[in-house]
Amino acid sequence: MHTPTPGQQPGPDRRTAARRRRAFAGAVGGVPGQGFREHLRLGRKGLAIGVDIGGTKVAAGVVDAEGRILSQARRSTPGNDPRAVEQIIVELVEELGEGHRIWSVGIGAAGWMDLDGGTVLFSPHLAWRNEPLRDNLQRMLHRPVLLTNDADAAGWAEWRFGAGRGENRLVCITLGTGIGGAMVMDGRLERGRYGVAGEFGHQIIMPGGHRCECGNRGCWEQYASGNALGREARELAAANSPVAQELLRAVDGQMDRITGAIVTGLAKAGDATSRELIEEVGEWLGLGLANLAAALDPGTFVIGGGLCDAGELLVAPARKAFGRNLTGRGFRPAAQIELAALGPDAGLIGAADLSRVSRRMRS
């Protein structure tokens, strides 16, 4: 079966495909009428720096046109002071820029960005509220800067260079403290009408369930994330369950130190209880993916983020639950579910590459 090139659609309505190509050209600042791959070709000159801003660290790297990281540096995130974070970004870019000819800088940050890509409307980790981050950084760096959501950056990287390469309908899920998401549809990031699409972690999957930081109850990320895994393990330990003794030994009896990462490590070492806890999270993951498949019908789900260190211990039960809950199962093609290939570097790789291929930047 022929797979269409991203940005092209089979069938008689070629005008629709042309409109999509023009829409993407507008989204990246290219010339209307040129194909999507032409935009990538035009953006392949020079190196770019990608910056991934997290709650505890700011990571940056020089990235070439093939998605390879040539050099890296990182700093601790300086609290929640926006000015201090901007200064850290400037220091990292200047440090990494020595000895390289840098074409552009891409910034990936958790939070909501406006559609123009200039303002952070809200960030959960930093005190950014309607912050004109792109303009601030371009003024300080004297370089073109692209601003994007960190999950969008990771999803783009996986589509360009990782587990989603060649897929023209990709949904990327990042499992960490919560759940982030990104969609690459026909060769472009789909951000929704207001720029805040991809908040998959806040679909309500259990009405009246656990309270979420967003204010609602029963959000997906309260059941299928690193935080959810740690919470379930702590509750088991607090009940003094005999099956939780290995968990308690791992933290010297201090149950508040039990995290998703600790549970994952024990599961990989063979602890049966930890494996059971991860399997439960995987089942919730698969249920949420089935909901997304009913709405979005992607060809591939790529699962990334820190919780994916569990590998097939997490993804195998997710695939089973996905198959059990998929609408029209048995009578429709089912999306593939793959582990992300680029690991924790996906965000900075994607931010750098987006800044390279996009020419919609302010000088």
Side-chain angles (χ1 to χ4, degrees):
M1 179 177 177
H2 172 67
T3 300
T5 301
Q8 297 178 335
Q9 289 293 311
D13 190 3
R14 294 176 181 172
R15 290 173 298 177
T16 299
R19 283 196 297 270
R20 285 175 176 163
R21 286 194 295 272
R22 287 196 297 270
F24 180 77
V28 300
V31 180
Q34 289 181 313
F36 171 68
R37 292 296 173 189
E38 178 70 3
H39 287 295
L40 295 188
R41 187 189 69 78
L42 288 172
R44 291 171 75 84
K45 51 187 171 182
L47 303 174
I49 291 178
V51 182
D52 186 15
I53 305 172
T56 59
K57 71 178 188 311
V58 180
V62 177
V63 182
D64 70 11
E66 303 300 325
R68 295 180 293 246
I69 299 175
L70 306 184
S71 59
Q72 280 183 279
R74 64 181 58 203
R75 301 280 194 281
S76 296
T77 304
N80 62 355
D81 180 356
R83 303 288 84 77
V85 174
E86 290 171 8
Q87 188 56 48
I88 288 293
I89 294 170
V90 171
E91 291 175 6
L92 286 168
V93 171
E94 290 178 345
E95 175 186 332
L96 291 169
E98 293 181 3
H100 296 291
R101 184 179 179 182
I102 302 302
W103 177 253
S104 57
V105 176
I107 309 293
W112 296 346
M113 318 297 164
D114 67 352
L115 275 175
D116 182 55
T119 301
V120 183
L121 302 175
F122 169 80
S123 176
H125 301 310
L126 298 158
W128 282 337
R129 306 292 185 270
N130 294 311
E131 183 74 18
L133 183 60
R134 182 184 61 192
D135 287 353
N136 292 348
L137 290 173
Q138 286 188 156
R139 187 169 53 251
M140 299 167 75
L141 291 169
H142 307 290
R143 298 177 188 274
V145 173
L146 177 135
L147 176 64
T148 190
N149 174 270
D150 58 350
D152 283 344
W156 179 265
E158 290 291 342
W159 177 73
R160 282 275 278 139
F161 309 112
R165 194 166 188 173
E167 175 60 68
N168 67 344
R169 294 271 171 169
L170 175 72
V171 172
C172 183
I173 305 293
T174 55
L175 304 177
T177 302
I179 296 178
M183 296 176 282
V184 183
M185 302 295 184
D186 296 328
R188 66 181 181 87
L189 281 170
E190 174 55 65
R191 299 184 58 217
R193 172 62 179 83
Y194 301 106
V196 296
E199 293 293 334
F200 303 135
H202 297 292
Q203 60 172 310
I204 296 175
I205 204 166
M206 176 62 73
H210 292 293
R211 176 72 71 180
C212 183
E213 287 84 351
C214 76
N216 290 329
R217 286 187 178 275
C219 290
W220 188 28
E221 68 177 41
Q222 294 301 311
Y223 299 88
S225 65
N227 271 6
L229 179 59
R231 183 196 65 230
E232 292 298 305
R234 289 191 296 273
E235 288 182 2
L236 195 62
N240 201 27
S241 170
V243 300
Q245 297 311 302
E246 192 64 32
L247 284 165
L248 286 167
R249 275 194 291 271
V251 294
D252 298 323
Q254 300 178 50
M255 65 183 68
D256 60 334
R257 289 175 49 203
I258 298 175
T259 63
I262 286 174
V263 179
T264 299
L266 289 172
K268 291 170 70 176
D271 178 53
T273 298
S274 296
R275 290 191 169 205
E276 182 179 330
L277 289 167
I278 288 179
E279 182 176 349
E280 290 176 0
V281 168
E283 290 173 354
W284 283 109
L285 173 61
L287 176 59
L289 293 179
N291 289 343
L292 291 178
L296 302 174
D297 191 29
T300 302
F301 288 103
V302 171
I303 313 298
L307 189 54
C308 284
D309 189 41
E312 288 297 318
L313 294 175
L314 174 74
V315 174
R319 290 191 182 108
K320 290 181 181 178
F322 176 76
R324 286 197 306 269
N325 292 284
L326 181 64
T327 301
R329 53 194 173 275
F331 297 95
R332 56 167 289 177
Q336 299 298 309
I337 301 174
E338 304 292 345
L339 282 165
L342 301 178
D345 294 327
L348 73 86
I349 293 171
D353 193 65
L354 278 167
S355 77
R356 180 187 297 106
V357 302
S358 172
R359 295 168 60 192
R360 185 170 65 96
M361 303 175 190
R362 297 176 183 174
S363 59

